């Protein structure tokens, strides 16, 4: 994986009982990412997952998360839920357009 800071990016689980679930990366530590979804896994209790077990979602960006990362602020569960809901809506529209 790239050496750039991945905090604030979206990621999909590739392995485990949460396969295909989408998270926001809230922290990076060695070979692990700390992931939150704003619901079951909030910012205060993120999921620890190995980098090799996630797939980065590079083609979706949110201004709220970008602003938090640039200012060094922490994310809130509400912001994370809103971003993930927006991503799911974007993905459904894109799937409908491609006929999936």
């Amino acid at each position: 994986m790239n050496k750039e800071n991945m905090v604030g990016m979206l990621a999909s689980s590739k392995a485990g009982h949460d396969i295909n679930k989408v998270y926001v990366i809230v922290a990076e530590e060695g070979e692990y990412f700390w992931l939150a979804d704003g619901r079951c896994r909030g910012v205060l209790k993120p999921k620890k997952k190995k980098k090799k077990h996630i797939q980065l979602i590079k083609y979706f960006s949110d201004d709220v998360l970008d602003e938090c990362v640039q200012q060094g602020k922490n994310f809130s569960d509400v912001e994370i839920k809103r971003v993930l809901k927006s991503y799911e809506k974007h993905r459904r529209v894109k799937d409908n357009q491609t006929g999936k």
Side-chain angles (χ1 to χ4, degrees), residues 84-96:
L84 292 176
K85 186 175 181 179
S86 174
Y87 170 73
E88 289 297 326
K89 182 178 177 184
H90 172 76
R91 191 168 83 178
R92 276 194 305 270
V93 168
K94 187 175 178 183
D95 286 349
N96 287 339

Side-chain angles (χ1 to χ4, degrees), residues 12-56:
S12 176
S13 174
K14 293 193 312 187
H17 66 89
D18 62 343
I19 194 164
N20 295 329
K21 185 163 181 164
V22 178
Y23 296 97
V24 173
I25 300 172
V26 295
E28 190 174 353
E29 181 182 293
E31 65 180 67
Y32 294 95
F33 283 131
W34 294 90
L35 309 170
D37 67 0
R39 290 181 176 85
C40 298
R41 288 295 182 164
V43 175
L44 298 178
K45 192 177 177 188
K47 179 174 187 63
K48 184 178 182 182
K49 199 143 181 101
K50 285 190 174 186
K51 290 181 179 181
K52 68 180 182 178
H53 292 153
I54 66 158
Q55 175 68 48
L56 293 177

Side-chain angles (χ1 to χ4, degrees), residues 5-9 25 63-75:
N5 189 8
M6 303 292 178
V7 173
M9 290 185 72
I25 300 172
D63 296 334
V64 173
L65 293 182
D66 291 342
E67 186 177 318
C68 287
V69 169
Q70 289 174 357
Q71 294 178 1
K73 297 187 326 188
N74 293 329
F75 307 119

